[in-house]
Amino acid sequence: MKTRTRHTRRWPASLAVVAVLILQVLVPTQINALPRWLMPVLGGLMLLPLIYMNPFHLRRDEPWLRWVELALLGVLVAANTYYLAGMIFFLNNGDANEGSVLVKSALLIWVTNVVAFAVWYWEIDRGGPFARAPEHDREVEREDLLFPQMTVDLAGWKGWLPGFTDYLYVSLTNATAFSPTDTLPLSARLKMLMGVQSAIALLTIAIIAARAVNVL
């Protein structure tokens, strides 16, 4: 009897990116001088080949797909940083009494920050999802993140591999606590990414969101 190959799921990461691209339409015009359709269209065009090649599971391994993914994530983070700069400018030069604009902008920036870096962690840890997937014959790089499941010897956790939900949790806790929680960064590139994410989250929550609450 032929053993059925279990492929790693790709659709959770794609769904998260699609949701964030849709949220870009809601970014207030007070902090975004660019057309609202620009980010959803640009991001959608970059996401399209990724979904077409691997719509639900990771089956077709092409090196150029990873570069497209990283470019998409770079564009998302750059756009989010641009929104953050626009929020700071609006706070100092605009009508700061518009508390709804501040709250809405801060929420969109924070959510985009969490999702973008979650996909980023998922994409680069140990060489990416294709390298981590046991069904693909690729050399696994050294670990970038140390999950607690990798440090214990408990029944039911042998051979455990992180999925997108695990990376989303790492991103969420890092953006909330402004530091690693139960999962530790090991490589310099992960430490740099987590530092950038924490800085964006800190500026969004501690400066902008706090001022918005005071205005309201």
Side-chain angles (χ1 to χ4, degrees), residues 95-133:
D95 185 2
N97 291 321
E98 294 186 48
S100 60
V101 173
L102 298 175
V103 171
K104 183 179 179 180
S105 301
L107 182 60
L108 291 171
I109 291 171
W110 192 84
V111 171
T112 301
N113 187 41
V114 169
V115 173
F117 278 92
V119 181
W120 213 323
Y121 302 151
W122 177 76
E123 184 61 43
I124 70 173
D125 183 30
R126 281 183 281 176
F130 274 106
R132 294 191 304 270

PDB file of all heavy atoms in Angstrom, residues 95-133:
ATOM      1  N   ASP A  95      -4.884  67.762  13.010  1.00  0.00           N
ATOM      2  CA  ASP A  95      -5.899  67.976  14.033  1.00  0.00           C
ATOM      3  C   ASP A  95      -5.887  66.782  14.977  1.00  0.00           C
ATOM      4  O   ASP A  95      -6.526  65.761  14.738  1.00  0.00           O
ATOM      5  CB  ASP A  95      -7.282  68.126  13.379  1.00  0.00           C
ATOM      6  CG  ASP A  95      -8.358  68.483  14.409  1.00  0.00           C
ATOM      7  OD1 ASP A  95      -8.006  68.654  15.602  1.00  0.00           O
ATOM      8  OD2 ASP A  95      -9.531  68.578  14.030  1.00  0.00           O
ATOM      9  N   ALA A  96      -5.133  66.903  16.049  1.00  0.00           N
ATOM     10  CA  ALA A  96      -4.962  65.790  16.985  1.00  0.00           C
ATOM     11  C   ALA A  96      -6.244  65.447  17.726  1.00  0.00           C
ATOM     12  O   ALA A  96      -6.297  64.463  18.455  1.00  0.00           O
ATOM     13  CB  ALA A  96      -3.861  66.118  17.990  1.00  0.00           C
ATOM     14  N   ASN A  97      -7.277  66.287  17.593  1.00  0.00           N
ATOM     15  CA  ASN A  97      -8.543  65.995  18.259  1.00  0.00           C
ATOM     16  C   ASN A  97      -9.347  64.915  17.537  1.00  0.00           C
ATOM     17  O   ASN A  97     -10.363  64.464  18.039  1.00  0.00           O
ATOM     18  CB  ASN A  97      -9.381  67.278  18.367  1.00  0.00           C
ATOM     19  CG  ASN A  97      -8.764  68.269  19.334  1.00  0.00           C
ATOM     20  OD1 ASN A  97      -8.241  67.877  20.369  1.00  0.00           O
ATOM     21  ND2 ASN A  97      -8.830  69.549  18.992  1.00  0.00           N
ATOM     22  N   GLU A  98      -8.909  64.554  16.341  1.00  0.00           N
ATOM     23  CA  GLU A  98      -9.586  63.492  15.604  1.00  0.00           C
ATOM     24  C   GLU A  98      -9.125  62.143  16.162  1.00  0.00           C
ATOM     25  O   GLU A  98      -8.323  61.428  15.562  1.00  0.00           O
ATOM     26  CB  GLU A  98      -9.278  63.604  14.107  1.00  0.00           C
ATOM     27  CG  GLU A  98      -9.851  64.855  13.453  1.00  0.00           C
ATOM     28  CD  GLU A  98      -9.655  64.842  11.948  1.00  0.00           C
ATOM     29  OE1 GLU A  98      -9.961  63.803  11.323  1.00  0.00           O
ATOM     30  OE2 GLU A  98      -9.183  65.845  11.403  1.00  0.00           O
ATOM     31  N   GLY A  99      -9.652  61.807  17.331  1.00  0.00           N
ATOM     32  CA  GLY A  99      -9.224  60.588  18.002  1.00  0.00           C
ATOM     33  C   GLY A  99      -9.552  59.333  17.233  1.00  0.00           C
ATOM     34  O   GLY A  99      -8.803  58.349  17.289  1.00  0.00           O
ATOM     35  N   SER A 100     -10.652  59.328  16.501  1.00  0.00           N
ATOM     36  CA  SER A 100     -11.040  58.142  15.744  1.00  0.00           C
ATOM     37  C   SER A 100     -10.007  57.818  14.666  1.00  0.00           C
ATOM     38  O   SER A 100      -9.743  56.639  14.385  1.00  0.00           O
ATOM     39  CB  SER A 100     -12.417  58.352  15.111  1.00  0.00           C
ATOM     40  OG  SER A 100     -12.392  59.468  14.227  1.00  0.00           O
ATOM     41  N   VAL A 101      -9.421  58.847  14.054  1.00  0.00           N
ATOM     42  CA  VAL A 101      -8.388  58.632  13.036  1.00  0.00           C
ATOM     43  C   VAL A 101      -7.162  57.999  13.666  1.00  0.00           C
ATOM     44  O   VAL A 101      -6.570  57.060  13.124  1.00  0.00           O
ATOM     45  CB  VAL A 101      -8.014  59.966  12.347  1.00  0.00           C
ATOM     46  CG1 VAL A 101      -6.826  59.763  11.410  1.00  0.00           C
ATOM     47  CG2 VAL A 101      -9.205  60.514  11.581  1.00  0.00           C
ATOM     48  N   LEU A 102      -6.792  58.474  14.846  1.00  0.00           N
ATOM     49  CA  LEU A 102      -5.620  57.951  15.524  1.00  0.00           C
ATOM     50  C   LEU A 102      -5.818  56.497  15.951  1.00  0.00           C
ATOM     51  O   LEU A 102      -4.936  55.658  15.777  1.00  0.00           O
ATOM     52  CB  LEU A 102      -5.288  58.818  16.742  1.00  0.00           C
ATOM     53  CG  LEU A 102      -4.934  60.287  16.450  1.00  0.00           C
ATOM     54  CD1 LEU A 102      -4.757  61.051  17.751  1.00  0.00           C
ATOM     55  CD2 LEU A 102      -3.676  60.379  15.612  1.00  0.00           C
ATOM     56  N   VAL A 103      -6.967  56.198  16.519  1.00  0.00           N
ATOM     57  CA  VAL A 103      -7.238  54.831  16.970  1.00  0.00           C
ATOM     58  C   VAL A 103      -7.298  53.878  15.782  1.00  0.00           C
ATOM     59  O   VAL A 103      -6.708  52.779  15.810  1.00  0.00           O
ATOM     60  CB  VAL A 103      -8.554  54.775  17.777  1.00  0.00           C
ATOM     61  CG1 VAL A 103      -8.949  53.337  18.052  1.00  0.00           C
ATOM     62  CG2 VAL A 103      -8.414  55.544  19.084  1.00  0.00           C
ATOM     63  N   LYS A 104      -8.012  54.267  14.746  1.00  0.00           N
ATOM     64  CA  LYS A 104      -8.146  53.419  13.558  1.00  0.00           C
ATOM     65  C   LYS A 104      -6.794  53.173  12.908  1.00  0.00           C
ATOM     66  O   LYS A 104      -6.462  52.023  12.550  1.00  0.00           O
ATOM     67  CB  LYS A 104      -9.094  54.085  12.562  1.00  0.00           C
ATOM     68  CG  LYS A 104      -9.364  53.268  11.308  1.00  0.00           C
ATOM     69  CD  LYS A 104     -10.328  54.013  10.397  1.00  0.00           C
ATOM     70  CE  LYS A 104     -10.609  53.232   9.123  1.00  0.00           C
ATOM     71  NZ  LYS A 104     -11.548  53.965   8.229  1.00  0.00           N
ATOM     72  N   SER A 105      -5.984  54.209  12.796  1.00  0.00           N
ATOM     73  CA  SER A 105      -4.674  54.071  12.171  1.00  0.00           C
ATOM     74  C   SER A 105      -3.754  53.196  13.001  1.00  0.00           C
ATOM     75  O   SER A 105      -3.056  52.322  12.476  1.00  0.00           O
ATOM     76  CB  SER A 105      -4.042  55.451  11.972  1.00  0.00           C
ATOM     77  OG  SER A 105      -4.860  56.270  11.167  1.00  0.00           O
ATOM     78  N   ALA A 106      -3.761  53.427  14.316  1.00  0.00           N
ATOM     79  CA  ALA A 106      -2.904  52.630  15.193  1.00  0.00           C
ATOM     80  C   ALA A 106      -3.264  51.156  15.139  1.00  0.00           C
ATOM     81  O   ALA A 106      -2.386  50.290  15.113  1.00  0.00           O
ATOM     82  CB  ALA A 106      -3.010  53.157  16.627  1.00  0.00           C
ATOM     83  N   LEU A 107      -4.559  50.845  15.096  1.00  0.00           N
ATOM     84  CA  LEU A 107      -5.001  49.453  15.042  1.00  0.00           C
ATOM     85  C   LEU A 107      -4.567  48.790  13.741  1.00  0.00           C
ATOM     86  O   LEU A 107      -4.070  47.652  13.738  1.00  0.00           O
ATOM     87  CB  LEU A 107      -6.522  49.384  15.196  1.00  0.00           C
ATOM     88  CG  LEU A 107      -7.140  47.980  15.207  1.00  0.00           C
ATOM     89  CD1 LEU A 107      -6.587  47.160  16.366  1.00  0.00           C
ATOM     90  CD2 LEU A 107      -8.662  48.064  15.294  1.00  0.00           C
ATOM     91  N   LEU A 108      -4.744  49.486  12.617  1.00  0.00           N
ATOM     92  CA  LEU A 108      -4.364  48.929  11.321  1.00  0.00           C
ATOM     93  C   LEU A 108      -2.856  48.703  11.238  1.00  0.00           C
ATOM     94  O   LEU A 108      -2.393  47.685  10.715  1.00  0.00           O
ATOM     95  CB  LEU A 108      -4.824  49.856  10.202  1.00  0.00           C
ATOM     96  CG  LEU A 108      -6.337  49.944   9.975  1.00  0.00           C
ATOM     97  CD1 LEU A 108      -6.674  51.048   8.994  1.00  0.00           C
ATOM     98  CD2 LEU A 108      -6.881  48.617   9.480  1.00  0.00           C
ATOM     99  N   ILE A 109      -2.080  49.664  11.747  1.00  0.00           N
ATOM    100  CA  ILE A 109      -0.626  49.532  11.726  1.00  0.00           C
ATOM    101  C   ILE A 109      -0.183  48.357  12.587  1.00  0.00           C
ATOM    102  O   ILE A 109       0.677  47.568  12.195  1.00  0.00           O
ATOM    103  CB  ILE A 109       0.037  50.844  12.208  1.00  0.00           C
ATOM    104  CG1 ILE A 109      -0.190  51.955  11.180  1.00  0.00           C
ATOM    105  CG2 ILE A 109       1.529  50.643  12.451  1.00  0.00           C
ATOM    106  CD1 ILE A 109       0.243  53.327  11.660  1.00  0.00           C
ATOM    107  N   TRP A 110      -0.803  48.201  13.758  1.00  0.00           N
ATOM    108  CA  TRP A 110      -0.400  47.137  14.675  1.00  0.00           C
ATOM    109  C   TRP A 110      -0.743  45.755  14.100  1.00  0.00           C
ATOM    110  O   TRP A 110       0.078  44.842  14.159  1.00  0.00           O
ATOM    111  CB  TRP A 110      -1.087  47.332  16.025  1.00  0.00           C
ATOM    112  CG  TRP A 110      -0.531  46.459  17.107  1.00  0.00           C
ATOM    113  CD1 TRP A 110       0.567  46.698  17.886  1.00  0.00           C
ATOM    114  CD2 TRP A 110      -1.051  45.189  17.526  1.00  0.00           C
ATOM    115  NE1 TRP A 110       0.761  45.670  18.765  1.00  0.00           N
ATOM    116  CE2 TRP A 110      -0.208  44.722  18.570  1.00  0.00           C
ATOM    117  CE3 TRP A 110      -2.140  44.417  17.138  1.00  0.00           C
ATOM    118  CZ2 TRP A 110      -0.436  43.510  19.211  1.00  0.00           C
ATOM    119  CZ3 TRP A 110      -2.360  43.200  17.771  1.00  0.00           C
ATOM    120  CH2 TRP A 110      -1.519  42.764  18.800  1.00  0.00           C
ATOM    121  N   VAL A 111      -1.934  45.611  13.535  1.00  0.00           N
ATOM    122  CA  VAL A 111      -2.341  44.326  12.953  1.00  0.00           C
ATOM    123  C   VAL A 111      -1.444  43.971  11.769  1.00  0.00           C
ATOM    124  O   VAL A 111      -0.998  42.824  11.622  1.00  0.00           O
ATOM    125  CB  VAL A 111      -3.818  44.367  12.527  1.00  0.00           C
ATOM    126  CG1 VAL A 111      -4.172  43.120  11.718  1.00  0.00           C
ATOM    127  CG2 VAL A 111      -4.717  44.468  13.752  1.00  0.00           C
ATOM    128  N   THR A 112      -1.184  44.939  10.898  1.00  0.00           N
ATOM    129  CA  THR A 112      -0.300  44.696   9.756  1.00  0.00           C
ATOM    130  C   THR A 112       1.084  44.303  10.223  1.00  0.00           C
ATOM    131  O   THR A 112       1.731  43.407   9.645  1.00  0.00           O
ATOM    132  CB  THR A 112      -0.224  45.947   8.865  1.00  0.00           C
ATOM    133  OG1 THR A 112      -1.521  46.298   8.404  1.00  0.00           O
ATOM    134  CG2 THR A 112       0.682  45.705   7.662  1.00  0.00           C
ATOM    135  N   ASN A 113       1.556  44.930  11.277  1.00  0.00           N
ATOM    136  CA  ASN A 113       2.861  44.619  11.850  1.00  0.00           C
ATOM    137  C   ASN A 113       2.927  43.166  12.321  1.00  0.00           C
ATOM    138  O   ASN A 113       3.890  42.445  12.043  1.00  0.00           O
ATOM    139  CB  ASN A 113       3.141  45.579  13.018  1.00  0.00           C
ATOM    140  CG  ASN A 113       4.544  45.443  13.567  1.00  0.00           C
ATOM    141  OD1 ASN A 113       5.513  45.289  12.826  1.00  0.00           O
ATOM    142  ND2 ASN A 113       4.673  45.503  14.875  1.00  0.00           N
ATOM    143  N   VAL A 114       1.898  42.713  12.994  1.00  0.00           N
ATOM    144  CA  VAL A 114       1.865  41.344  13.518  1.00  0.00           C
ATOM    145  C   VAL A 114       1.856  40.324  12.378  1.00  0.00           C
ATOM    146  O   VAL A 114       2.641  39.365  12.375  1.00  0.00           O
ATOM    147  CB  VAL A 114       0.639  41.134  14.431  1.00  0.00           C
ATOM    148  CG1 VAL A 114       0.451  39.652  14.760  1.00  0.00           C
ATOM    149  CG2 VAL A 114       0.784  41.937  15.712  1.00  0.00           C
ATOM    150  N   VAL A 115       0.995  40.523  11.403  1.00  0.00           N
ATOM    151  CA  VAL A 115       0.854  39.545  10.317  1.00  0.00           C
ATOM    152  C   VAL A 115       2.101  39.526   9.424  1.00  0.00           C
ATOM    153  O   VAL A 115       2.601  38.448   9.064  1.00  0.00           O
ATOM    154  CB  VAL A 115      -0.398  39.847   9.481  1.00  0.00           C
ATOM    155  CG1 VAL A 115      -0.447  38.943   8.248  1.00  0.00           C
ATOM    156  CG2 VAL A 115      -1.651  39.654  10.319  1.00  0.00           C
ATOM    157  N   ALA A 116       2.611  40.696   9.069  1.00  0.00           N
ATOM    158  CA  ALA A 116       3.764  40.753   8.169  1.00  0.00           C
ATOM    159  C   ALA A 116       4.969  40.046   8.772  1.00  0.00           C
ATOM    160  O   ALA A 116       5.649  39.255   8.095  1.00  0.00           O
ATOM    161  CB  ALA A 116       4.105  42.213   7.855  1.00  0.00           C
ATOM    162  N   PHE A 117       5.235  40.285  10.055  1.00  0.00           N
ATOM    163  CA  PHE A 117       6.398  39.653  10.666  1.00  0.00           C
ATOM    164  C   PHE A 117       6.143  38.181  10.968  1.00  0.00           C
ATOM    165  O   PHE A 117       7.090  37.386  10.997  1.00  0.00           O
ATOM    166  CB  PHE A 117       6.805  40.410  11.925  1.00  0.00           C
ATOM    167  CG  PHE A 117       7.638  41.632  11.635  1.00  0.00           C
ATOM    168  CD1 PHE A 117       7.046  42.858  11.474  1.00  0.00           C
ATOM    169  CD2 PHE A 117       9.007  41.523  11.492  1.00  0.00           C
ATOM    170  CE1 PHE A 117       7.805  43.984  11.187  1.00  0.00           C
ATOM    171  CE2 PHE A 117       9.793  42.631  11.200  1.00  0.00           C
ATOM    172  CZ  PHE A 117       9.187  43.869  11.046  1.00  0.00           C
ATOM    173  N   ALA A 118       4.896  37.787  11.180  1.00  0.00           N
ATOM    174  CA  ALA A 118       4.587  36.365  11.355  1.00  0.00           C
ATOM    175  C   ALA A 118       4.955  35.589  10.088  1.00  0.00           C
ATOM    176  O   ALA A 118       5.579  34.518  10.149  1.00  0.00           O
ATOM    177  CB  ALA A 118       3.108  36.176  11.684  1.00  0.00           C
ATOM    178  N   VAL A 119       4.565  36.128   8.938  1.00  0.00           N
ATOM    179  CA  VAL A 119       4.902  35.471   7.672  1.00  0.00           C
ATOM    180  C   VAL A 119       6.408  35.504   7.447  1.00  0.00           C
ATOM    181  O   VAL A 119       6.999  34.554   6.917  1.00  0.00           O
ATOM    182  CB  VAL A 119       4.156  36.134   6.501  1.00  0.00           C
ATOM    183  CG1 VAL A 119       4.488  35.438   5.183  1.00  0.00           C
ATOM    184  CG2 VAL A 119       2.647  36.096   6.724  1.00  0.00           C
ATOM    185  N   TRP A 120       7.045  36.599   7.856  1.00  0.00           N
ATOM    186  CA  TRP A 120       8.489  36.709   7.699  1.00  0.00           C
ATOM    187  C   TRP A 120       9.214  35.634   8.510  1.00  0.00           C
ATOM    188  O   TRP A 120      10.121  34.965   8.021  1.00  0.00           O
ATOM    189  CB  TRP A 120       8.968  38.095   8.136  1.00  0.00           C
ATOM    190  CG  TRP A 120      10.150  38.580   7.346  1.00  0.00           C
ATOM    191  CD1 TRP A 120      11.190  37.816   6.890  1.00  0.00           C
ATOM    192  CD2 TRP A 120      10.406  39.902   6.891  1.00  0.00           C
ATOM    193  NE1 TRP A 120      12.084  38.589   6.196  1.00  0.00           N
ATOM    194  CE2 TRP A 120      11.633  39.867   6.186  1.00  0.00           C
ATOM    195  CE3 TRP A 120       9.743  41.106   7.027  1.00  0.00           C
ATOM    196  CZ2 TRP A 120      12.202  41.006   5.623  1.00  0.00           C
ATOM    197  CZ3 TRP A 120      10.304  42.240   6.468  1.00  0.00           C
ATOM    198  CH2 TRP A 120      11.502  42.186   5.772  1.00  0.00           C
ATOM    199  N   TYR A 121       8.808  35.455   9.772  1.00  0.00           N
ATOM    200  CA  TYR A 121       9.415  34.411  10.602  1.00  0.00           C
ATOM    201  C   TYR A 121       9.172  33.035   9.989  1.00  0.00           C
ATOM    202  O   TYR A 121      10.068  32.182   9.971  1.00  0.00           O
ATOM    203  CB  TYR A 121       8.842  34.450  12.022  1.00  0.00           C
ATOM    204  CG  TYR A 121       9.025  35.769  12.742  1.00  0.00           C
ATOM    205  CD1 TYR A 121       8.117  36.196  13.706  1.00  0.00           C
ATOM    206  CD2 TYR A 121      10.115  36.592  12.462  1.00  0.00           C
ATOM    207  CE1 TYR A 121       8.288  37.405  14.362  1.00  0.00           C
ATOM    208  CE2 TYR A 121      10.284  37.812  13.110  1.00  0.00           C
ATOM    209  CZ  TYR A 121       9.361  38.214  14.057  1.00  0.00           C
ATOM    210  OH  TYR A 121       9.526  39.408  14.704  1.00  0.00           O
ATOM    211  N   TRP A 122       7.960  32.813   9.519  1.00  0.00           N
ATOM    212  CA  TRP A 122       7.592  31.536   8.891  1.00  0.00           C
ATOM    213  C   TRP A 122       8.428  31.268   7.653  1.00  0.00           C
ATOM    214  O   TRP A 122       8.777  30.122   7.361  1.00  0.00           O
ATOM    215  CB  TRP A 122       6.102  31.581   8.546  1.00  0.00           C
ATOM    216  CG  TRP A 122       5.546  30.394   7.842  1.00  0.00           C
ATOM    217  CD1 TRP A 122       5.247  29.172   8.378  1.00  0.00           C
ATOM    218  CD2 TRP A 122       5.186  30.305   6.457  1.00  0.00           C
ATOM    219  NE1 TRP A 122       4.727  28.338   7.417  1.00  0.00           N
ATOM    220  CE2 TRP A 122       4.675  29.008   6.231  1.00  0.00           C
ATOM    221  CE3 TRP A 122       5.236  31.209   5.388  1.00  0.00           C
ATOM    222  CZ2 TRP A 122       4.219  28.593   4.984  1.00  0.00           C
ATOM    223  CZ3 TRP A 122       4.788  30.788   4.146  1.00  0.00           C
ATOM    224  CH2 TRP A 122       4.285  29.503   3.949  1.00  0.00           C
ATOM    225  N   GLU A 123       8.780  32.324   6.945  1.00  0.00           N
ATOM    226  CA  GLU A 123       9.472  32.187   5.675  1.00  0.00           C
ATOM    227  C   GLU A 123      10.977  31.972   5.832  1.00  0.00           C
ATOM    228  O   GLU A 123      11.603  31.317   4.978  1.00  0.00           O
ATOM    229  CB  GLU A 123       9.234  33.431   4.810  1.00  0.00           C
ATOM    230  CG  GLU A 123       9.826  33.364   3.409  1.00  0.00           C
ATOM    231  CD  GLU A 123       9.261  32.222   2.580  1.00  0.00           C
ATOM    232  OE1 GLU A 123       8.043  32.000   2.618  1.00  0.00           O
ATOM    233  OE2 GLU A 123      10.058  31.542   1.899  1.00  0.00           O
ATOM    234  N   ILE A 124      11.603  32.461   6.882  1.00  0.00           N
ATOM    235  CA  ILE A 124      13.063  32.378   6.957  1.00  0.00           C
ATOM    236  C   ILE A 124      13.576  31.399   8.001  1.00  0.00           C
ATOM    237  O   ILE A 124      14.753  31.021   7.953  1.00  0.00           O
ATOM    238  CB  ILE A 124      13.685  33.769   7.211  1.00  0.00           C
ATOM    239  CG1 ILE A 124      13.391  34.262   8.622  1.00  0.00           C
ATOM    240  CG2 ILE A 124      13.238  34.773   6.179  1.00  0.00           C
ATOM    241  CD1 ILE A 124      14.134  35.541   8.948  1.00  0.00           C
ATOM    242  N   ASP A 125      12.753  30.981   8.950  1.00  0.00           N
ATOM    243  CA  ASP A 125      13.230  30.068   9.980  1.00  0.00           C
ATOM    244  C   ASP A 125      13.734  28.761   9.364  1.00  0.00           C
ATOM    245  O   ASP A 125      13.004  28.090   8.629  1.00  0.00           O
ATOM    246  CB  ASP A 125      12.108  29.766  10.982  1.00  0.00           C
ATOM    247  CG  ASP A 125      12.559  28.881  12.130  1.00  0.00           C
ATOM    248  OD1 ASP A 125      13.756  28.950  12.497  1.00  0.00           O
ATOM    249  OD2 ASP A 125      11.731  28.122  12.663  1.00  0.00           O
ATOM    250  N   ARG A 126      14.969  28.422   9.630  1.00  0.00           N
ATOM    251  CA  ARG A 126      15.606  27.198   9.132  1.00  0.00           C
ATOM    252  C   ARG A 126      15.543  27.058   7.611  1.00  0.00           C
ATOM    253  O   ARG A 126      15.421  25.965   7.070  1.00  0.00           O
ATOM    254  CB  ARG A 126      14.984  25.963   9.794  1.00  0.00           C
ATOM    255  CG  ARG A 126      15.509  25.719  11.189  1.00  0.00           C
ATOM    256  CD  ARG A 126      14.928  24.457  11.779  1.00  0.00           C
ATOM    257  NE  ARG A 126      13.582  24.689  12.276  1.00  0.00           N
ATOM    258  CZ  ARG A 126      12.797  23.731  12.788  1.00  0.00           C
ATOM    259  NH1 ARG A 126      13.228  22.496  12.849  1.00  0.00           N
ATOM    260  NH2 ARG A 126      11.604  24.018  13.225  1.00  0.00           N
ATOM    261  N   GLY A 127      15.578  28.193   6.929  1.00  0.00           N
ATOM    262  CA  GLY A 127      15.607  28.144   5.474  1.00  0.00           C
ATOM    263  C   GLY A 127      14.258  28.198   4.802  1.00  0.00           C
ATOM    264  O   GLY A 127      14.164  28.112   3.579  1.00  0.00           O
ATOM    265  N   GLY A 128      13.183  28.323   5.584  1.00  0.00           N
ATOM    266  CA  GLY A 128      11.856  28.452   5.005  1.00  0.00           C
ATOM    267  C   GLY A 128      11.020  27.197   5.157  1.00  0.00           C
ATOM    268  O   GLY A 128      11.507  26.138   5.572  1.00  0.00           O
ATOM    269  N   PRO A 129       9.729  27.298   4.837  1.00  0.00           N
ATOM    270  CA  PRO A 129       8.813  26.159   5.023  1.00  0.00           C
ATOM    271  C   PRO A 129       9.154  24.943   4.181  1.00  0.00           C
ATOM    272  O   PRO A 129       8.926  23.809   4.596  1.00  0.00           O
ATOM    273  CB  PRO A 129       7.450  26.749   4.641  1.00  0.00           C
ATOM    274  CG  PRO A 129       7.754  27.936   3.791  1.00  0.00           C
ATOM    275  CD  PRO A 129       9.047  28.483   4.309  1.00  0.00           C
ATOM    276  N   PHE A 130       9.695  25.149   2.974  1.00  0.00           N
ATOM    277  CA  PHE A 130      10.065  24.009   2.146  1.00  0.00           C
ATOM    278  C   PHE A 130      11.221  23.237   2.765  1.00  0.00           C
ATOM    279  O   PHE A 130      11.257  22.005   2.715  1.00  0.00           O
ATOM    280  CB  PHE A 130      10.434  24.476   0.737  1.00  0.00           C
ATOM    281  CG  PHE A 130       9.265  24.613  -0.191  1.00  0.00           C
ATOM    282  CD1 PHE A 130       8.786  25.862  -0.531  1.00  0.00           C
ATOM    283  CD2 PHE A 130       8.645  23.500  -0.716  1.00  0.00           C
ATOM    284  CE1 PHE A 130       7.699  26.001  -1.381  1.00  0.00           C
ATOM    285  CE2 PHE A 130       7.554  23.621  -1.574  1.00  0.00           C
ATOM    286  CZ  PHE A 130       7.083  24.881  -1.907  1.00  0.00           C
ATOM    287  N   ALA A 131      12.178  23.962   3.347  1.00  0.00           N
ATOM    288  CA  ALA A 131      13.316  23.298   3.972  1.00  0.00           C
ATOM    289  C   ALA A 131      12.900  22.554   5.240  1.00  0.00           C
ATOM    290  O   ALA A 131      13.448  21.495   5.554  1.00  0.00           O
ATOM    291  CB  ALA A 131      14.409  24.323   4.302  1.00  0.00           C
ATOM    292  N   ARG A 132      11.921  23.096   5.967  1.00  0.00           N
ATOM    293  CA  ARG A 132      11.463  22.449   7.198  1.00  0.00           C
ATOM    294  C   ARG A 132      10.552  21.263   6.923  1.00  0.00           C
ATOM    295  O   ARG A 132      10.469  20.348   7.735  1.00  0.00           O
ATOM    296  CB  ARG A 132      10.694  23.460   8.067  1.00  0.00           C
ATOM    297  CG  ARG A 132      11.544  24.593   8.610  1.00  0.00           C
ATOM    298  CD  ARG A 132      10.766  25.380   9.661  1.00  0.00           C
ATOM    299  NE  ARG A 132       9.499  25.892   9.155  1.00  0.00           N
ATOM    300  CZ  ARG A 132       9.341  27.075   8.583  1.00  0.00           C
ATOM    301  NH1 ARG A 132      10.388  27.868   8.420  1.00  0.00           N
ATOM    302  NH2 ARG A 132       8.151  27.475   8.154  1.00  0.00           N
ATOM    303  N   ALA A 133       9.849  21.282   5.802  1.00  0.00           N
ATOM    304  CA  ALA A 133       8.874  20.230   5.507  1.00  0.00           C
ATOM    305  C   ALA A 133       9.574  18.901   5.259  1.00  0.00           C
ATOM    306  O   ALA A 133      10.468  18.804   4.419  1.00  0.00           O
ATOM    307  CB  ALA A 133       8.035  20.622   4.297  1.00  0.00           C
TER     308      ALA A 133
END
